[in-house]
């Protein structure tokens, strides 16, 4: 490396996403974590090879860093991202849900879908984990008009526990989650539903809304999201058509993998920044639908990985830096 | 206990379902395991408090037992059940898929739906695990005509690993299943699909078939099945209507629990012979549907528990004997 | 059943041990749960087949029940057990650590070691989970003088998470425990150490103390304890000697299993009230030692199961009632 | 990167260690996987971003690669490593147990202990997973004479399932391993025992053998080894002395972390090439001993990570290349 590395601050660095950003930056050739904040751990060393101590967020001088990752809980995170941008940091990515509606001038950052918006942006709202997979899986289909929007898409999703954060809650104890599987936020009441609806509408070109039912479940795994989609399609369309459209759409993308046959599972993607998508036909007369499965790591492409990908674009770096192994 | 207990033989007693039948019989007040077969373990003691050794199936005298549980793999199990019945055992339950189409005169045994068939029968085909939950959840709705059969039911299901049996397969290694979640047998190609279709048709009263899409997934848990149903309903019907119909239908059933609110998870049922059912509304305009969740233990109500329940009916015992704690 | 069942109260019924006592009583032929207390769930129904609602502990009339199981956290539980006994309940078992030093006149209840103390007692302190296994494994060896007490016993133990209770703690989240394994309370600083020391001294007949090092670890499993013992023995003694002494000592015990060969694992005992013990020789010259492994279910023989066993003795019932399947 | 990368061949690339070597090479700045062999997958694409297909080992031209990682099962792997070295590959690392006794002129490769041997070697035997941790933890103590070798070291160890390889075995099914914990290869009969003994003897300077008892257990986790050591020390020595000696010994090592206080757990190291070591005092009169815990990722520092570290030294690269993230 012949240039001095860029300096990053990770605000809220002890949660699952903050820790994952720190981990990624340890392997990033151009950006290093120069600051990590934690109220409870202030003064303590950050675990790992680098010599870094947690500081309080209040004490960060944002004009001294090049990029800020705000990893605090929703409700707190967005204002820190704005404060960082306004305080002199070149760029800020907010990993919470606070700015996903564009508040503060934030750009919604799914590079594969809206890369031009992200390149050079000063403030990016990193998408939610569930929406990331749904939007990437449905984009080629909606853009190409393959979806019958007169019938609802069914999105049955399952996530590992790290999606719920690291706060102590009885329902998230090992003794409660191990050997369990449960639905939650059902009936389109999960907080990601408006974000998904807005994304679908944008992808569909603004016409009628795209109806869907979204049901998340909690899996007894640490990380990974798998979403099983029942896609209503126009009569005559098959899985091969959806695969072809998706493969063409993502031909040049390093982080989206369209499977020619078979369906991905968590094991195929966890630990990487990749999203894997596959389709299968359903033997069913009448109302035609195609089955889709999209899988990815909720902490990487669903959070920290996509945040670094966005940061790379914001900083004018190669988009993949620090994201391959 | 003032009568001498009835004698049971468990054929194929070292697999997951066979072991579970043995475990249940240890707590059964009226039936005890007198014979357990295993080709590979013949001569070895059965683990547990009773003094019992595995014998080869060939060596069992079926006229010396009152009830036989055939727990061998599909393809082998059915003929042993028939052989047991014909060889003098009073009654035989086959836990495989071999006789579920009525072969050999077998009665399909879901007590809550077709109890009269089972009572006193000499040969019962114990239902598949996935079908058990789907039929119990949909029966009240199909019988009452609450389902719009012009649109397909979506049944997104997830099962623990014991549903796949105990044979050594690379895909079922701990290293492959832990931290994974995967769909399999998708596109209505799972071997339970014809059984589900036949059950739905019978429940619907024989008219048009009930269209459905069934997608099983493999969960990293030992036991339990949870099925998330997207039920197409006639306009105006809500979760409350489906709950009311189900609660009325199962008011006198000890092993079916209809939840007035909330949705069951694996933890609520695993370890018991109960099936728990709940419904929830979905905020969605147009094509009306109601969300349903049904959860149960695949080795109990989905296999060994229901087999004992059937056996109790066949033997004229109280249906719940040995099935509570 | 021709007598009306005895009535039990479970104080603190929503934790892991309280729930397990309730589950056992559902299968108990002579005792039923008539009262279950919970401050947070008061008024809500107890999950399961029986019609029972949680009440506040304050509102229990102890003269209306035959036996009380006090399952509150250590620090609160003991005084409720005493209050129950003094308030008219025939008998009370305290499952916490509060009374294990004999406070309140409580008898220390390991039936296989000190059965006569328990029979007919009005107040029993149920032993700790780790001590139960250690005392049962070491008793035959200490009583027979097979242990070289000039060298320390090493007891390396591992427990499932339910041993730590059901309070919400970050360290016990699924995201922290899954895929982890950690030592805790090392250096003989675990709160069970004095209880173990007292038990060993009693078993050794009161002479010199029995030196030991106890190191517990947290396993990513829900239930089960396995303790690996490095037993210093007199020169010339082998595993066979220890096995023989143990088998003889426990020949008439239903809940203690001494393995003639092989070593038990969690799977062999979890879900049962049994303790399994095995020994193996170590190829090592000099300082002779024999390896021992003891395994049991921390919620059954390590807590609720042993509590019911004690209660049966206190009430003059058959000791095994409700404890088999 | 301004030089063209070196070319690596991974022989036996579909097992857990082979896959891990491939994963590491994807992030290695100087070495890339040019060849991956598999008999069963020959012709199929290697999953991941690179364009690589499995070939049969027979078809590899070893003079066309710079480094070979032989990841076949013990019994097959060593001869392939020798064949690779003799066939023109610059260097070969064997990850099996075949060459750990020096066969074929192989050097035993623990860089932190015997770095000079590895630098520039043509053939390296990568150490076993359990021995790696034990040797690194004990080296500073044995070298400094802090261990009382008249009493045995007790090494109670626990490993995740990937240490057992990826072959289909019933005992390694998810249904058997989940919620279980078991000892195996007890009594110093594990195949790593001679390797550990040889390493200890070398570290102790050749005098009397260092007596030890090694007991491995199988953990229900995918990866990670934690070894709990009961170290007999000379009278008066405390954990602080052992910590100080270890910290001094490894002051310049990037992959060995000595904890000043607290003890490491799997979570602290899994996913990294680091070994973490901690010590704690034991409140025990008489025979003085200090508790030690060493933790590391069995697939990284215990296998593939150490293999890459060795390869870096053999190829004259920076030792840490490709091992940080």
């Amino acid at each position: 490396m012949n240039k001095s590395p860029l300096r990053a601050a990770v605000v809220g660095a002890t949660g699952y996403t903050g820790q994952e950003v720190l981990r990624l930056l340890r392997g990033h050739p151009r950006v290093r974590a120069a600051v990590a904040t934690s109220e409870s751990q202030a003064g303590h060393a950050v675990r790992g090879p680098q010599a870094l101590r947690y500081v309080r967020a209040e004490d960060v001088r944002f004009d001294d860093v090049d990029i800020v990752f705000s990893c605090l809980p929703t409700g707190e995170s967005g204002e820190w991202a704005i404060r960082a941008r306004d305080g002199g940091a070149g760029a800020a990515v907010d990993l919470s849900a606070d700015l996903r509606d564009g508040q503060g001038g934030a750009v919604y950052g799914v590079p594969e879908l809206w890369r031009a918006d992200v390149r050079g942006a000063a403030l990016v709202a990193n998408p939610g984990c569930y929406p990331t997979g749904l939007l990437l899986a449905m984009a080629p289909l909606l853009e190409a008009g393959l979806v019958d929007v007169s019938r609802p898409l069914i999105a049955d999703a399952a996530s590992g526990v790290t999606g719920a954060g690291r706060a102590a809650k009885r329902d998230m104890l090992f003794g409660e989650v191990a050997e369990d599987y449960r639905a939650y936020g059902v009936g389109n009441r999960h907080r990601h539903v408006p974000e998904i609806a807005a994304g679908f509408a944008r992808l569909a070109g603004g016409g009628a809304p795209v109806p869907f039912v979204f049901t998340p479940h909690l899996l007894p795994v640490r990380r990974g999201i798998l979403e099983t989609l029942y896609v209503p399609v126009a009569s005559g369309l098959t899985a091969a058509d959806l695969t072809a459209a998706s493969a063409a759409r993502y031909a040049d993308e390093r982080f989206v993998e369209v499977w020619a046959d078979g369906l991905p599972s968590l094991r195929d993607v966890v630990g990487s920044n990749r999203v894997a998508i596959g389709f299968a036909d359903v033997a069913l007369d009448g109302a035609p639908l195609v089955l889709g499965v999209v899988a990815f790591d909720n902490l990487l492409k669903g959070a920290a990985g996509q945040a670094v990908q966005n940061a790379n674009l914001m900083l004018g770096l190669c988009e993949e830096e620090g994201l391959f192994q």
Side-chain angles (χ1 to χ4, degrees), chain A:
Chain A
M1 206 178 319
N2 38 20
K3 304 186 197 156
S4 82
L6 299 170
R7 294 165 51 85
V10 181
V11 176
T14 57
Y16 289 126
T17 54
Q19 289 283 304
E20 194 71 3
V21 171
L22 285 178
R23 192 180 70 85
L24 288 174
L25 294 182
R26 284 202 287 271
H28 199 295
R30 301 294 310 282
V31 181
R32 70 181 179 81
V35 177
T37 85
S38 165
E39 305 313 297
S40 63
Q41 297 294 307
H44 289 85
V46 174
R47 212 154 257 307
Q50 78 280 55
L52 191 62
R53 286 186 181 277
Y54 293 108
V55 296
R56 296 171 51 88
E58 293 287 344
D59 299 336
V60 179
R61 288 196 44 196
F62 289 113
D63 57 359
D64 198 32
V65 297
D66 301 290
I67 177 84
V68 173
F69 296 93
S70 191
C71 304
L72 292 164
T74 291
E76 298 174 53
S77 193
E79 57 187 294
W80 278 99
I82 291 172
R83 185 164 160 177
R85 179 196 58 185
D86 296 346
V93 183
D94 179 30
L95 285 87
S96 83
D98 287 337
L99 311 180
R100 291 180 194 153
D101 58 358
Q103 221 179 304
V107 161
Y108 188 71
V110 186
E112 291 81 1
L113 301 182
W114 302 292
R115 182 170 283 119
D117 295 359
V118 178
R119 197 166 271 143
L123 184 63
V124 165
N126 212 53
C129 50
Y130 287 120
T132 291
L134 288 177
L135 298 183
L136 286 168
M138 293 300 292
L141 317 184
L142 289 168
E143 290 171 352
L146 306 181
V147 182
D148 174 2
V149 295
S150 74
R151 291 179 284 144
L153 165 75
I154 306 290
D156 197 281
S159 174
V161 298
T162 50
R166 208 175 178 185
K169 295 176 209 155
R170 179 161 165 170
D171 266 6
M172 301 303 288
L173 290 175
F174 185 91
E176 308 295 299
V177 173
E179 296 287 308
D180 193 26
Y181 180 63
R182 59 178 99 135
Y184 66 100
V186 302
N188 282 355
R189 289 194 304 270
H190 190 277
R191 65 185 166 83
H192 283 166
V193 164
E195 182 183 344
I196 296 165
F200 281 171
R202 190 169 167 192
L203 291 168
V210 179
F212 66 94
V213 182
F214 172 66
T215 313
H217 297 75
L218 184 71
L219 278 175
V221 305
R222 293 194 73 249
R223 48 205 286 171
I225 285 180
L226 188 137
E227 296 172 311
T228 301
L229 312 179
Y230 300 85
V231 186
V233 292
S235 187
L237 291 177
T238 68
D241 300 309
L242 277 57
T243 302
S246 301
R249 174 67 171 80
Y250 294 127
D252 297 329
E253 295 295 344
R254 294 289 300 274
F255 296 125
V256 184
E257 213 173 67
V258 179
W259 286 31
D261 65 330
L263 297 174
S265 81
L266 292 192
R267 219 162 18 103
D268 296 307
V269 292
V270 166
S272 87
N273 195 49
R274 285 176 289 118
V275 169
I277 303 170
F279 296 100
D281 288 309
V282 177
L284 177 76
D285 292 331
L289 57 81
V290 169
L291 191 82
V293 166
V294 53
F296 56 104
D297 187 322
N298 61 301
L299 287 182
L300 287 167
K301 186 62 181 171
Q306 185 150 264
V308 168
Q309 190 182 351
N310 280 321
N312 286 339
L313 285 168
M314 296 163 81
L315 295 167
L317 304 175
C318 168
E319 188 173 335
E320 291 95 11
E321 296 274 32
L323 291 171
F324 269 107
Q325 65 165 172

